[in-house]
Amino acid sequence: MTVQKPIPVAGAAAGREALLQGPILPTLLRLTLPNTVAMVATALAAIAETTYVGRLGVEPLAAMALVFPMAMLMQMMSAGAMGGGVSSAISRALGAGDLARANTLAIHAIIIALAAGLFFTLFFFALGPSIYRLLGGRDGALEQAILYSNTIFAGITAVWLFNTFASILRGTGNMMVPSVLGLIVAGLQIAIGGTLGLGLGPVPKLGIVGVAIGAVSAFGLGALYLFLHLNGRRARLRLTLQGFTAQRALFVDILKVGAMACLSSLQTVVTILIFTGLVARFGTAALAGYGIGARLEFLLIPIAFSVGVASVPMVGMAIGAKDVTRARRVAWTAGSLSAAALAAIGLVVIIFPDAWTSLFTSDVAVIKAGRQYLTAAGAGFPFFGLGLCLYFASQGAGKLLGPVLAGTLRLVLVALVGWWLTMSSAEAWTLFALAGGAMVIYGLATAAAVYRTRW
């Protein structure tokens, strides 16, 4: 970090007033659009990487499947969880008109990112092989998984820094710069990973390690650019070490939201792993049908995520300015927007479930299983969108306990009722109905928690 004069107040004040005084729905839509584009680009990068690894053979593809949940957990923690804590703390400080506190919070956020990156590097270097064995990795697939994991987690600090810098900017209401960089990073990830992984042109073929290098290199370059941007004259908030002193209270301000949100991310991954294991007991066709349906859900998450992340600085600044009424209006508007968007998609899925499943298979049994899953889950899409969006709005308010407990309820419901269904020799459609029902309960429980919690 460079030592600089304090940022001119005008730039930060203009952004603050726009989020505090602007009409809620148009402002929310303006902030949401760039997030959506960046999230779609990230999803496309993940699809491209899977395509590259698929060309390398079955063992690398199996290896990637073993490591993917851990890599996704890092993204969820650094961007949506701890990143939400960072955006929340900074937006609340700016809403209160305390620019000095916002600047100091940014430095504390970077320290947290560096510490988290180092921790997870050491953790997966030491325990990664055991985790992948527990998940079923064997022989060549396990060896490839360890290589891929070690490469990803050697550079995981770059991912944490990129998402932290992006979250600092989002906390000021600047969605455009991190979103454009997200788009560029996705492009670099596709280009570098493909070149190194497949050995295009004169470049030697590095296999799955090359794909991993592409990912961490892209995030590293993105993090460097955002660091320079935050030290530039046009930034609403700039990084400065002038007069900096680490303060326990500021770490707590970020971690009271970020750490709890990380627990929510972990719950999400565990819920998916448990449900996948339960579906696998109903046979290959049921598992394949569920996998195809879950792939659609993966593409829906960016919609709810984009609206939710856009609501964080709007809610945070309103809370900082002690305008609780506006903060709640933003939360319910964002939740309704997300629910409506996912309801429209869910309705199409319920009416034409085979249109999606048939894109990936012609197997009659798999199409039937996919139809059963999408018909049941489609009804839960709007409630899932509502719950996820209100979870992010609660980050902005710094009041996250209720939404996290709603996620816990969903996890317990899936685990216990799912186990009972499999032990009772129930049919696969009952488990799929459970998935949709769990989404409904999650959304309603989150809404109830937000309604009853004092902000």
Side-chain angles (χ1 to χ4, degrees), residues 114-259:
L114 291 170
L118 177 60
F119 171 79
F120 284 112
T121 294
L122 297 176
F123 179 88
F124 281 99
F125 274 13
L127 299 179
S130 299
I131 293 173
Y132 306 134
R133 286 191 192 93
L134 184 63
L135 292 175
R138 299 289 183 273
D139 304 324
L142 178 60
E143 293 177 7
Q144 292 279 310
I146 293 172
L147 283 173
Y148 182 64
S149 175
N150 287 347
T151 307
I152 287 289
F153 285 99
I156 203 65
T157 300
V159 176
W160 274 88
L161 284 174
F162 175 83
N163 286 324
T164 297
F165 291 144
S167 297
I168 291 170
L169 284 168
R170 290 190 181 107
T172 69
N174 185 342
M175 302 290 168
M176 186 59 69
V177 170
S179 296
V180 170
L181 256 293
L183 188 62
I184 294 172
V185 164
L188 288 173
Q189 193 173 345
I190 292 171
I192 300 173
T195 301
L196 296 178
L198 302 177
L200 302 179
V203 179
K205 182 178 180 179
L206 300 181
I208 196 170
V209 172
V211 176
I213 291 174
V216 296
S217 298
F219 276 101
L221 291 171
L224 176 60
Y225 181 89
L226 289 180
F227 172 77
L228 295 174
H229 177 83
L230 282 166
N231 280 279
R233 292 183 178 276
R234 299 179 63 184
R236 296 177 185 174
L237 181 152
R238 299 219 304 255
L239 305 177
T240 174
L241 287 176
Q242 186 175 3
F244 172 76
T245 302
Q247 301 175 42
R248 181 177 179 274
L250 297 189
F251 282 122
V252 170
D253 197 12
I254 295 172
L255 292 173
K256 71 180 182 181
V257 174

Side-chain angles (χ1 to χ4, degrees), residues 160-454:
W160 274 88
L161 284 174
F162 175 83
N163 286 324
T164 297
F165 291 144
S167 297
I168 291 170
L169 284 168
R170 290 190 181 107
T172 69
N174 185 342
M175 302 290 168
M176 186 59 69
V177 170
S179 296
V180 170
L181 256 293
L183 188 62
I184 294 172
V185 164
L188 288 173
Q189 193 173 345
I190 292 171
I192 300 173
T195 301
L196 296 178
L198 302 177
L200 302 179
V203 179
K205 182 178 180 179
L206 300 181
I208 196 170
V209 172
V211 176
I213 291 174
V216 296
S217 298
F219 276 101
L221 291 171
L224 176 60
Y225 181 89
L226 289 180
F227 172 77
L228 295 174
H229 177 83
L230 282 166
N231 280 279
R233 292 183 178 276
R234 299 179 63 184
R236 296 177 185 174
L237 181 152
R238 299 219 304 255
L239 305 177
T240 174
L241 287 176
Q242 186 175 3
F244 172 76
T245 302
Q247 301 175 42
R248 181 177 179 274
L250 297 189
F251 282 122
V252 170
D253 197 12
I254 295 172
L255 292 173
K256 71 180 182 181
V257 174
M260 189 174 294
C262 284
L263 175 61
S264 179
S265 298
L266 184 61
Q267 287 177 343
T268 300
V269 172
V270 171
T271 301
I272 292 171
L273 291 175
I274 289 175
F275 195 79
T276 301
L278 292 172
V279 174
R281 299 189 178 195
F282 288 91
T284 303
L287 184 60
Y290 162 69
I292 292 172
R295 190 174 303 177
L296 175 61
E297 284 183 44
F298 176 70
L299 296 177
L300 293 178
I301 288 175
I303 299 174
F305 181 91
S306 299
V307 180
V309 168
S311 74
V312 172
M314 292 184 69
V315 171
M317 287 195 187
I319 291 293
K322 301 188 184 305
D323 190 349
V324 177
T325 300
R326 179 178 173 86
R328 286 194 170 276
R329 285 179 59 203
V330 170
W332 291 115
T333 301
S336 299
L337 179 62
S338 175
L342 267 63
I345 298 172
L347 181 61
V348 173
V349 165
I350 291 172
I351 297 174
F352 307 107
D354 294 355
W356 173 258
T357 311
S358 299
L359 293 175
F360 302 93
T361 183
S362 58
D363 187 286
V364 176
V366 175
I367 289 176
K368 178 183 177 182
R371 182 188 310 128
Q372 291 175 336
Y373 177 74
L374 288 172
T375 301
F381 285 175
F383 296 92
F384 175 73
L386 173 66
L388 184 58
C389 201
L390 289 177
Y391 157 81
F392 280 107
S394 297
Q395 284 186 326
K399 301 287 186 178
L400 202 58
L401 179 60
V404 170
L405 291 177
T408 304
L409 176 62
R410 181 189 179 200
L411 170 60
V412 172
L413 185 68
V414 167
L416 294 183
V417 179
W419 174 82
W420 178 76
L421 288 173
T422 55
M423 293 297 101
S424 302
S425 301
E427 296 183 24
W429 71 265
T430 61
L431 197 61
F432 298 154
L434 170 64
M439 289 184 191
V440 173
I441 291 174
Y442 166 70
L444 294 177
T446 303
V450 170
Y451 179 78
R452 295 183 64 85
T453 299
R454 289 190 63 185

